[in-house]
Amino acid sequence: MKVSVLGSGSRGNAIAVQANGATILVDAGFGVRALKRRLASSHISPESITAILLTHEHGDHARGASHFARRHGLPVWGSEGTLFALRNQLRDVVTCPLTLTGANDVGPFTVRAVRTCHDAAEPVAVTLATRGGATVGLAYDLGRPTGGVRALLRDVHCLLLEANHDDALLRAGPYPASVRRRIAGPGGHLSNRAAAELARDVCHGDLETVVLVHVSDACNEPRLAEKVVSDALERRRFGGKVLVATQDTPLPPVIVSLPAVQLTLGVAD
């Protein structure tokens, strides 16, 4: 499995997950031209995309979904609340509601989703697993991590996790008090500290890579986010990599492999 963060931040989010010759685009928070440019820079053909999966309806996650889906004849998956919130934009697009109580078969992937506390219609965190068992988890726009989110992420091999803001930088930042309260509140975004606690809680021996996403340009610093999360993971003897995605430049692809013990048993991805 290959995971390419095409861009992540307050101005747009899109992540391409590839396996078995197919690609799922998780969120499409850029315009069609920008999406195609970012896909091209990551050497991903739009024709390989088989579906768009939306975590919620906010523009920085869904801005380009309807136009891109219409242009390439793609179905759009999302929670019932997300699809209802976008019903006017998706009027002539095939939509597929995610079940939040079991598995969803989306191309070559098994997708599981749980609701998050973000201030959207029905936002979700998701995992995507291949038939061989390699699993990536994505949790951003969390507000606060719930028990359901922790349970969803506890066995993933690659974790894409929000580290939106530093508490001190948010207090000193450019936003008015009402926006600061919203960001730091239970329906907003995870701080570096909260992200570190969640990463520590779900860390296990087969976790290979943690990618920090939705990092604020105004109220955070990539090196600070990486240090806070890395320090917490070190206490769990995490031996993998911590990467930080940026808003403007796609991250080099992350290869998600199966643990060596599974490979020796003949399980291939």
Side-chain angles (χ1 to χ4, degrees), residues 189-232:
H189 295 274
L190 286 190
S191 67
N192 293 340
R193 173 184 49 79
E197 292 172 356
L198 178 54
R200 180 199 63 204
D201 290 348
V202 302
C203 183
H204 58 94
D206 293 329
L207 178 62
E208 300 172 350
T209 309
V210 175
V211 184
L212 303 181
V213 293
H214 220 304
V215 177
S216 171
D217 289 336
C219 302
N220 208 350
E221 297 174 0
R223 290 182 181 179
L224 180 58
E226 180 182 3
K227 176 173 171 44
V228 172
V229 174
S230 295
D231 286 351

Side-chain angles (χ1 to χ4, degrees), residues 12-57:
N13 297 270
I15 297 159
V17 184
Q18 299 170 275
N20 301 319
T23 305
I24 287 183
L25 189 61
V26 183
D27 286 343
F30 302 99
V32 171
R33 289 183 181 178
L35 272 175
K36 287 194 170 183
R37 184 171 62 251
R38 290 167 183 266
L39 287 165
S41 69
S42 297
H43 307 288
I44 299 171
S45 167
E47 286 69 34
S48 73
I49 299 174
T50 57
I52 298 173
L53 171 62
L54 296 179
T55 60
H56 61 293
E57 76 277 8

Side-chain angles (χ1 to χ4, degrees), residues 108-121:
F109 299 96
T110 298
V111 176
R112 296 182 184 274
V114 300
R115 185 163 182 168
T116 70
C117 294
H118 194 55
D119 54 2

Side-chain angles (χ1 to χ4, degrees), residues 8 12 22 50 52 61 68 70 88 130-131 162-163 184 210 242 250 265:
S8 185
T50 57
I52 298 173
H61 296 264
F68 196 87
R70 196 174 295 113
N88 291 331
T130 63
R131 295 185 186 92
E162 173 177 61
V210 175
V242 177
L265 294 174

Side-chain angles (χ1 to χ4, degrees), residues 124-143:
V124 294
V126 297
T127 60
L128 295 87
T130 63
R131 295 185 186 92
T135 306
V136 58
L138 170 61
Y140 53 19
D141 292 59
L142 283 181

